[in-house]
Amino acid sequence: MTTTDPSALIDPYRTTPARLHNAILGGKDHYTADYALATTLATNTITPAITESHRFTLRAVEYLIDRHGVSQFVDIGCGYPHAPNIHDIAGRRSGTTRTLYIDNDPVVATYGRALLTGPNRFFTDTDVTDTATVLADITAVMDTARPIAVCVSGTAELISDAPAVVAALTDRLPAGTWMVFTHITDDVYGHQIHSAVRTLRGAGINYHPRGREEITAMLTGYRLVTPGLVAPHRWPLVPSAGDGVRALFAMPRHRAAWDLSAYAAVGQLHR
């Protein structure tokens, strides 16, 4: 018998990537096990890398609306709703934006259908590695003749064959599609990231940090906007006075002079 009651699907003693991510971001949709693991990781460099990657994604959404007129966004591996969500940010910039959230965690799907759907907002519980179905989901609700931005943040690290998955998705996306991408790396503070990976795998979460070369290869085909592939807190794009661009919402909290164990980029697909 299939149940739609999220409480029947929850094991509060076993953490999940979505609940852990929510705990790290300061959300409320997690349990003691998730909070305990987030607390264990609080002094590890993976924590500011995750939080700044999330803030970068929100800034990138604002940037794409303001600078490039993008009004359609897809959040792949969206996790639990956590305000501000992409549609919250997009809605503040334009009343005509459309947002598609994709995540196949059954509890996330239950919450997503309840909280992330509405006018111009959609949710599907597709496996993000099933790129053919992901594209079908996108074409079902988006106008592919107009620019679309696909956000992959906090997702690729959870997929063992992420380079192949991203490549397959890229092959299926229409030219002109934007990619908002973040990835945790062990290039910076590698000993701490490896320690975090051991902790995560001990909790049953397979985690895969990657180096700059592999991450760069995952973005093959995308023309990256300035400043290219950088740490997410160094992608501020603060508007100049008088340039007509509204102030960005989620500015970095991590000092620009400090290193961070993550990379981020915004690029447009060219064939």
Side-chain angles (χ1 to χ4, degrees):
M1 177 179 177
T2 301
T3 178
T4 57
D5 177 5
S7 64
L9 302 172
I10 294 173
D11 180 353
Y13 302 105
R14 181 177 180 180
T15 194
T16 68
R19 292 204 312 262
L20 175 62
H21 193 255
N22 184 268
I24 289 173
L25 295 181
K28 298 179 179 179
D29 293 308
H30 56 267
Y31 289 87
T32 300
D34 311 298
Y35 182 79
L37 185 54
T39 299
T40 298
L41 296 173
T43 58
N44 189 288
T45 58
I46 199 171
T47 293
I50 289 171
T51 56
E52 287 297 347
S53 294
H54 177 72
R55 296 180 71 78
F56 157 82
T57 299
L58 300 181
R59 290 197 306 281
V61 168
E62 293 178 301
Y63 164 79
L64 288 173
I65 294 172
D66 286 344
R67 299 290 182 95
H68 297 280
V70 178
S71 61
Q72 303 183 104
F73 294 89
V74 181
D75 190 359
I76 294 182
C78 61
Y80 282 93
H82 180 74
N85 299 284
I86 287 178
H87 73 266
D88 297 317
I89 299 298
R92 295 175 186 178
R93 320 302 272 196
S94 170
T96 61
T97 55
R98 297 168 72 83
T99 309
L100 170 63
Y101 296 97
I102 300 175
D103 201 303
N104 69 333
D105 180 308
V107 183
V108 169
T110 299
Y111 280 83
R113 290 192 181 96
L115 301 175
L116 294 177
T117 57
N120 294 326
R121 302 197 304 270
F122 311 90
F123 185 96
T124 67
D125 60 355
T126 301
D127 182 340
V128 299
T129 66
D130 181 358
T131 55
T133 304
V134 167
L135 185 64
D137 292 339
I138 293 172
T139 56
V141 300
M142 300 292 183
D143 180 357
T144 56
R146 297 169 53 213
I148 298 170
V150 175
C151 303
V152 180
S153 181
T155 303
E157 301 92 330
L158 298 167
I159 303 173
S160 61
D161 58 345
V165 171
V166 173
L169 180 63
T170 295
D171 286 344
R172 297 175 183 275
L173 290 171
T177 298
W178 291 90
M179 175 73 78
V180 176
F181 190 83
T182 75
H183 204 299
I184 301 300
T185 183
D186 53 6
D187 285 348
V188 181
Y189 302 123
H191 63 292
Q192 288 216 31
I193 296 302
H194 294 157
S195 174
V197 168
R198 288 192 295 271
T199 299
L200 289 166
R201 290 180 177 173
I205 298 174
N206 288 322
Y207 204 81
H208 308 276
R210 294 180 171 92
R212 184 182 184 90
E213 184 176 345
E214 191 170 12
I215 294 169
T216 298
M218 293 169 72
L219 296 171
T220 298
Y222 295 91
R223 184 177 298 165
L224 304 187
V225 301
T226 303
L229 184 67
V230 296
H233 68 308
R234 293 181 180 141
W235 205 96
L237 287 172
V238 180
S240 302
D243 72 353
V245 179
R246 287 163 284 183
L248 296 175
F249 176 82
M251 293 304 295
R253 292 174 176 168
H254 200 71
R255 294 184 182 180
W258 296 354
D259 288 328
L260 199 64
S261 301
Y263 290 118
V266 174
Q268 188 173 31
L269 181 60
H270 288 261
R271 301 203 189 279

